[in-house]
């Protein structure tokens, strides 16, 4: 089980969290201006690296706040 | 009084037979091939087999970073079924099941295909409606699935607890009698043997790290054993596909997740079919040797470590005990994980790419073993002719742009 560093509560067991996928995917500033390909990219394509991955978690069974962390998807180590 | 039998080495006739000679040739890479397939899982091997058998292409290399079929092919729980909701899926998985039935004869290899039937259980009124709908849709597509109630379920699988006072009572199930399991390793060995006989080079310990390009054309692959030129390249690299396409700046909607399974100690044969439940989230069958084989869903986060989280296993075992109280004293012997690539619509991607000469087969998520024969056939067609087979036409990359998704989320019963 992962030990996830909540910035407010410290390291807690993974079961207290929900995963939110890649961090900092901004909603398009002018959605109407996007081509179909750009819109598809925004909706469906996310980073999928083997290695460092910036991602969102919510501490749903704790302080219930969202936060970003960097985790290595090959080793499961969180960057400090 | 008779003397004790001597403990000397048994006479020759009683010794175990020698292990069979190698079933396939292990090859060193040549500098150039007509077709290079990346990944020697079931999909890569089946593609090579069909390229040779149906398209007369023999100058083929299948490149594998580890050992032959040591990826998800070696890690899956071997469930084969075709009771998918949507027409495109029914056509593809239905074709696969037809081929599974033909393969033991065609490949001349007994890989213990066991059509023992699959029950997909439902536990809520909404699930009952969904299951009935799926059974009707299957019927319209010529797939042998029917809705069954608790009494019929108790007859099909007497060790299931179908009493109405359980926390998640079994309200019904879909039953597909032609579904079942097969010995996954033997399937891979059968394919490797036949492909090798056709002259296909099966090259292990050869990791593809990128591509050789000429403008928008892929003309070869970069590997840990040097560059290899190729007329065409087919990717069958499962969870690691997006890593490879990223090197071309080609972003594919894939997320790689750990998927775990476990086996119990050997038990006498008590479990006659395959049972899956989406709601309590477990699936279970009994292997030919006697282990219970259990799995659940993917871990939520992205992961390449071939290792999942223990709470997933705890939950799936709790769910299994809810359904099968008889398993309460069974011991877990082994757990493991594979890396599976999931798409936004829970359907695979099979087809050409914006790069001439490069073709992808990926995004099978948790359920690609059952599709192996059909994948091999349609992907070989796609690679050989440059355009998709009618069965994989709807599965192209462009569907994410056109919106013609094949949304099997939840609809296809439990994942796998
Ligand atoms: C625990 C578990 C249970 C499953 N249960 C079922 C089930 O019951 N039924 C079902 O239908 N499906 C199931 N699946 C899914 C199924 O195993 C996969 O969908 C299927 O194996 C995919 O086929 P493949 O041949 O593409 O994959 P793989 O067998 O993973 O083949 C891909 C190969 O490519 C190699 N490779 C990757 N990158 C490179 C590279 N850069 N260079 C060279 N080689 C590379 C890998 O080492 C691997 O051998 C399960 C999967 C798991 C993990
Ligand atoms: Zn917190």
């Amino acid at each position: 089980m992962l030990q996830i560093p909540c910035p407010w509560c410290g390291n807690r067991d993974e079961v207290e969290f929900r995963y939110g996928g890649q961090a900092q995917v901004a909603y398009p500033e002018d959605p109407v201006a996007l081509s179909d390909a750009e819109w598809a990219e925004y909706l469906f394509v996310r980073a999928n690296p083997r290695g460092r991955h910036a991602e969102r978690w919510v501490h749903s069974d704790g302080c219930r706040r969202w936060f970003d962390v960097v985790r290595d998807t090959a080793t499961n180590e969180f960057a400090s | 009084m008779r003397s004790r039998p001597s403990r000397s080495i048994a006479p020759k006739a009683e010794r175990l037979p020698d292990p069979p000679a190698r079933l396939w040739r292990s090859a060193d890479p040549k500098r150039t091939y007509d077709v290079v397939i990346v990944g020697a899982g079931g999909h890569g091997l089946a593609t090579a087999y069909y390229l040779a058998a149906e398209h007369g292409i023999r100058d083929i290399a299948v490149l594998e970073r580890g050992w032959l079929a040591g990826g998800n092919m070696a890690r899956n729980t071997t469930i084969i079924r075709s009771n998918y909701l949507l027409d495109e899926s029914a056509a593809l998985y239905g074709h696969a099941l037809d081929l599974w039935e033909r393969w033991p004869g065609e490949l001349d290899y007994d890989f213990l295909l066991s059509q023992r039937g699959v029950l997909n259980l439902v536990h809520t009124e909404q699930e009952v409606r969904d299951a009935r709908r799926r059974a009707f849709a299957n019927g319209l597509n010529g797939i042998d699935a029917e809705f069954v109630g608790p009494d019929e379920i108790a007859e099909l699988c007497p060790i299931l607890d179908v009493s109405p006072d359980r926390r998640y009572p079994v309200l019904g199930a879909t039953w597909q009698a032609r579904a079942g399991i097969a010995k996954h390793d033997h399937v891979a060995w059968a394919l490797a043997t036949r492909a090798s006989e056709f002259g296909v080079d099966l090259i292990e310990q050869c990791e593809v790290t990128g591509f050789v390009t000429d403008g928008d054309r892929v003309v070869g692959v970069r590997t840990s054993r040097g560059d290899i030129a190729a007329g065409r390249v087919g990717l069958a690299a499962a969870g690691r596909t997006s890593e490879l396409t990223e090197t071309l700046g080609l972003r594919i909607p894939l997320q790689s997740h750990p998927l775990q399974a476990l086996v119990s100690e050997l038990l006498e044969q008590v479990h006659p079919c395959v049972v899956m439940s989406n709601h309590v989230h477990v699936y279970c069958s009994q292997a030919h040797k006697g282990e219970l084989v259990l799995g659940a869903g993917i871990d939520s986060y992205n992961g390449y470590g071939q290792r999942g989280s223990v709470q997933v296993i705890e939950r799936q075992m709790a769910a299994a005990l809810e359904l099968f109280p008889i398993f309460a004293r069974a011991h877990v012997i082994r757990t493991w994980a594979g890396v599976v690539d999931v798409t936004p619509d829970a359907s695979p991607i099979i087809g050409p790419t914006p790069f001439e000469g490069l073709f992808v087969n990926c995004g099978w998520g948790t359920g690609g073993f059952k599709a192996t024969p059909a994948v091999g056939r349609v992907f070989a067609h796609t690679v050989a002719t440059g355009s998709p087979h009618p069965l994989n036409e709807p599965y192209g990359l462009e569907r994410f742009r056109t919106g013609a998704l094949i949304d099997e989320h939840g609809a296809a019963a439990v994942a796998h």
Side-chain angles (χ1 to χ4, degrees), chain B residues 212 225 231 236 240 255 376:
Chain B
V212 185
R225 296 170 72 174
R240 285 161 170 265
Q255 296 282 290

Side-chain angles (χ1 to χ4, degrees), chain B residues 13 43-44 66 76 144 316 402:
Chain B
H43 290 191
N76 80 80
D144 65 312
Q316 84 190 40
T402 61

Side-chain angles (χ1 to χ4, degrees), chain A residues 6-10 12 17 59 62-65 67:
Chain A
C6 172
W8 295 281
C9 311
R12 311 289 291 211
F17 297 82
H59 193 186
C63 66
R64 301 171 70 184
R65 287 200 266 188
F67 56 93

Side-chain angles (χ1 to χ4, degrees), chain A residues 1-2 14-15 19 36-37 40-41 44-50 53 57 71 73-74 76, chain B residues 240 242-243 251 253-256 300-305 309-311 315 344 400-401 405:
Chain A
M1 190 181 310
L2 304 183
E14 180 193 334
V15 284
Y19 180 64
D36 286 353
E41 173 106 0
F44 298 126
V45 182
R46 294 291 178 271
N48 189 31
R50 183 166 59 92
H53 186 227
W57 290 84
R71 182 178 57 95
T73 59
N76 280 332
Chain B
R240 285 161 170 265
S242 64
E243 242 198 318
R251 301 187 74 209
L254 292 172
Q255 296 282 290
S256 297
S300 66
Y301 50 83
N302 301 39
Y304 287 85
S309 284
V310 73
Q311 81 272 7
R315 285 187 192 141
F400 298 98
R401 214 175 331 116
L405 302 178

Side-chain angles (χ1 to χ4, degrees), chain B residues 38-43 63-65 71-73 75-79 206-208 236-238 240 244 259-261 283 336 338 340 364-370 416:
Chain B
V38 182
H43 290 191
L63 309 182
E64 168 57 48
R65 63 186 279 273
N72 292 328
M73 186 65 170
R75 292 160 204 273
N76 80 80
T77 47
T78 78
I79 299 169
C206 182
E207 176 159 11
V208 175
R240 285 161 170 265
L244 285 171
L259 175 66
Q260 303 181 75
Y283 59 91
W336 67 90
V340 300
W364 287 94
T366 59
F369 173 69
K370 63 176 75 66
H416 314 287

Side-chain angles (χ1 to χ4, degrees), chain B residues 130-148:
Chain B
D130 291 344
R132 283 186 186 279
R133 177 185 174 214
R134 185 158 46 77
F136 287 136
N138 287 163
L140 291 172
N141 278 318
I143 288 168
D144 65 312
E146 57 181 307
F147 186 84
V148 289

